[in-house]
Amino acid sequence: MFLPNRVVLAVTLFGVMGSSCFKPDFKISTQSTLGSGTEASPSPSPSATATPSPSPSPSATATPSPSPSPSETPFALACNCDFYTNPTTRTFDGVTKGVQPGQSICLRGGGPSYDQPISVGVMFTNLNGTASQPILIKNCGSKFKVNYTGGSAPIEFSRVSFVRMTGYTFADGSPGIETSGGNQGIKASRTSDIELDHMYISNTTGIGVNVKTDPTCDVTTQRKTVDNPTGFVMNNVLLHHLKVENVGQEGFYVGNSHWRLGAPLTCSGVSVTVMEHDVNNAQIYDNVIINTGRDGIQLGSAVGGAVVTRNSINGVCSSLDFNYCASGIQLNPGTIATVSRNVIVGNPAWGNWGIQTLATGGTVIHDNLIVDPIFGGIMTKDSVIVPGTDQKIFNNTIIRPGRYGVDSVNSQDMPVIFYNNLIAGIHPGTNASYKYINKHANTEFTDENNIYNDNLATIGFMNPAGGDYRLSSGSAAVNGGRTIDVSGVAIDLDGNPRVVGPKPDIGAYERQ
Ligand SMILES: [Ca+2]
Ligand SMILES: [Ca+2]
């Protein structure tokens, strides 16, 4: 498998165990756990079974709240559902079945004891809960496994809203829902207010988790606007504790990629450009992504504020098809996101950028660890301009970038604020044109209190050869940063207080 040779990543399921560089502040749970004092905590889950997360700390110096208790509620193993799927019938139509908001559906496996893998997968359609009474879909009795042999996705949602699908997590850490095969692992189209968690998705030829609605000539698939009131909008997409491994294309593909320019179609014989739907409140957290053909996480059109945090991404762009793959985390136009505390490890033979942002001003990228990005650590471009906004990039650690530490193509009018970042080492294959910071013409780029150093050994990392990029006491990075005035940013990559001592440190880890 594609384990990093220098970084000990949390490849135990869901990235929560045994990491030397990504200390968990969360536990495997069937509950939504984003929060726990982290910055940019999202709204409570729409799930009736989830405990609302604590409020984020407003102070940059606040001590994080204790981790949520690892309450592995055994509800998912009990087969007391209102409905059951059929192991040999793919389609489950909520209207035909008469499913009401607040009811539950158990996933039924094959064989006489319902515990064997099934091959047809399951497609939920016309299934609609409400905000206060979502519909719960879960495994029960045993794992629900799909060894999919069809040409679509093992698990599919179409015309679904206010639904949570969750896999009960077993004592060995494995999730209760597993799929293998398909051209996508999970596909959710014309679907909103959905929470997917605790599943293992593997071995697709295409996307791992695909949550978006591609526009057609039907206006109800196009962006909802004043002029198109029947259009589509996707709200409250929570994707967490998912492990996605060995997929041919993107690990996660959430929202469409042409928010600004639209997509060309021919409708009634006429060439038209249709606009892609907005995404509000997308939250992608605590996922593990291993070996993707294209980007690890690709998020677009997320105009309503998105959170991408605590994901472990290891090995992207194995297709080497850089027309479709740019980075570990790709923010596409329309998106305003907080991207924090992710660990992105590129294999030196692959990959491109650690993070590429074409996002709108207001996007914040902080406390990420990016190791061995073959092209560069972070690339910024201002594709959508909102006057008076900027992109803030701070307290990231970038190790051995291939060509650029950061490449900034903000040639319009969106400044980049670049503070407290640590760029260390140079990829062995780099050439003389290497630059820590590459600023294109007209880019307003403010870099202060950063460290750029091509000699890893002089930084004062704890154990760089072993993949531990925390700071030792003598490091110049300790207390070398400047105070960052961004509301709610209280903790570092480890989940420890961001400010210890007189000043914040430089890089993703604060010495405690
Ligand atoms: Ca892509
Ligand atoms: Ca400090």
Side-chain angles (χ1 to χ4, degrees):
M1 208 43 60
F2 303 94
L3 296 175
N5 56 4
R6 300 186 183 88
V7 171
V8 180
L9 250 195
V11 293
T12 305
L13 188 57
F14 304 140
V16 297
M17 301 299 176
S19 168
S20 69
C21 64
F22 193 38
K23 178 182 174 184
D25 66 346
F26 55 91
K27 301 289 186 182
I28 291 174
S29 168
T30 52
Q31 298 179 333
S32 302
T33 57
L34 184 55
S36 67
T38 187
E39 67 288 352
S41 288
S43 303
S45 156
S47 165
T49 59
T51 302
S53 301
S55 300
S57 301
S59 163
T61 57
T63 300
S65 304
S67 299
S69 61
S71 54
E72 295 194 12
T73 49
F75 72 89
L77 278 181
C79 291
N80 55 351
C81 284
D82 299 299
F83 296 91
Y84 295 81
T85 60
N86 184 320
T88 58
T89 302
R90 177 173 173 83
T91 299
F92 185 102
D93 188 314
V95 169
T96 303
K97 298 282 188 182
V99 181
Q100 300 299 311
Q103 292 191 310
S104 58
I105 303 168
C106 279
L107 297 162
R108 185 149 269 179
S113 299
Y114 306 117
D115 59 353
Q116 297 300 306
I118 67 170
S119 60
V120 299
V122 58
M123 183 187 77
F124 294 96
T125 188
N126 300 319
L127 189 63
N128 297 288
T130 64
S132 61
Q133 291 189 295
I135 292 166
L136 178 67
I137 303 171
K138 62 186 186 179
N139 64 309
C140 77
S142 63
K143 291 187 182 183
F144 176 73
K145 294 185 178 181
V146 184
N147 293 339
Y148 185 64
T149 55
S152 182
I155 295 175
E156 190 169 350
F157 301 89
S158 177
R159 298 176 187 270
V160 164
S161 66
F162 296 102
V163 166
R164 179 187 185 188
M165 178 184 281
T166 184
Y168 173 80
T169 300
F170 287 77
D172 65 358
S174 62
I177 298 173
E178 299 182 4
T179 77
S180 180
N183 64 3
Q184 299 163 67
I186 297 176
K187 181 179 182 182
S189 171
R190 303 187 80 152
T191 288
S192 182
D193 298 275
I194 187 166
E195 179 173 6
L196 305 173
D197 61 278
H198 295 89
M199 305 184 210
Y200 176 44
I201 309 299
S202 67
N203 300 315
T204 66
T205 56
I207 298 165
V209 178
N210 179 358
V211 184
K212 61 185 169 60
T213 298
D214 295 331
T216 68
C217 297
D218 177 351
V219 297
T220 65
T221 65
Q222 299 169 14
R223 184 180 304 166
K224 183 177 184 178
T225 63
V226 172
D227 294 331
N228 184 24
T230 64
F232 186 76
V233 60
M234 189 165 78
N235 299 317
N236 304 319
V237 176
L238 279 64
L239 307 174
H240 61 99
H241 297 92
L242 301 174
K243 181 177 180 180
V244 176
E245 186 168 19
N246 297 335
V247 298
Q249 298 178 352
E250 288 80 3
F252 287 67
Y253 196 141
V254 179
N256 288 286
S257 304
H258 317 94
W259 185 86
R260 181 169 60 116
L261 301 175
L265 286 178
T266 300
C267 299
S268 303
V270 178
S271 294
V272 297
T273 297
V274 299
M275 302 312 286
E276 297 167 335
H277 68 83
D278 290 343
V279 180
N280 293 309
N281 189 30
Q283 302 173 20
I284 303 172
Y285 59 95
D286 293 332
N287 300 292
V288 174
I289 299 169
I290 301 172
N291 184 28
T292 64
R294 297 181 181 173
D295 307 279
I297 296 172
Q298 180 167 322
L299 175 64
S301 304
V303 299
V307 175
V308 180
T309 192
R310 300 193 312 238
N311 299 287
S312 167
I313 301 173
N314 184 3
V316 300
C317 296
S318 64
S319 68
L320 300 179
D321 183 354
F322 296 120
N323 289 321
Y324 294 96
C325 185
S327 47
I329 296 175
Q330 172 79 21
L331 303 179
N332 273 340
T335 296
I336 301 175
T338 296
V339 177
S340 67
R341 304 176 62 205
N342 300 284
V343 176
I344 303 167
V345 179
N347 185 304
W350 302 342
N352 206 339
W353 301 100
I355 298 171
Q356 183 179 70
T357 170
L358 313 181
T360 305
T363 289
V364 180
I365 297 171
H366 69 93
D367 293 288
N368 300 284
L369 172 64
I370 302 171
V371 180
D372 288 323
I374 190 69
F375 203 71
I378 299 173
M379 187 269 196
T380 78
K381 182 174 172 58
D382 49 355
S383 65
V384 178
I385 301 301
V386 177
T389 66
D390 56 29
Q391 292 181 335
K392 288 185 173 64
I393 301 172
F394 58 87
N395 281 106
N396 300 285
T397 295
I398 300 172
I399 303 294
R400 285 186 299 271
R403 187 167 178 184
Y404 305 122
V406 172
D407 187 35
S408 202
V409 196
N410 289 36
S411 56
Q412 299 180 79
D413 192 25
M414 183 162 57
V416 175
I417 307 299
F418 194 78
Y419 295 159
N420 299 0
N421 297 285
L422 204 172
I423 304 176
I426 292 177
H427 181 64
T430 196
N431 59 35
S433 68
Y434 177 84
K435 294 180 180 178
Y436 292 110
I437 304 296
N438 192 48
K439 290 176 280 191
H440 289 230
N442 304 320
T443 296
E444 184 182 340
F445 191 98
T446 305
D447 52 332
E448 296 182 7
N449 296 73
N450 302 290
I451 288 178
Y452 310 137
N453 189 328
D454 62 6
N455 187 349
L456 275 180
T458 64
I459 299 294
F461 289 126
M462 290 295 285
N463 180 14
D468 185 348
Y469 300 105
R470 295 179 184 83
L471 302 173
S472 58
S473 60
S475 173
V478 174
N479 298 325
R482 55 178 290 157
T483 300
I484 304 293
D485 182 19
V486 175
S487 175
V489 177
I491 54 181
D492 70 354
L493 175 55
D494 273 338
N496 291 321
R498 165 43 69 190
V499 182
V500 173
K503 291 286 185 180
D505 300 349
I506 295 173
Y509 298 102
E510 182 80 10
R511 182 165 176 85
Q512 301 298 302

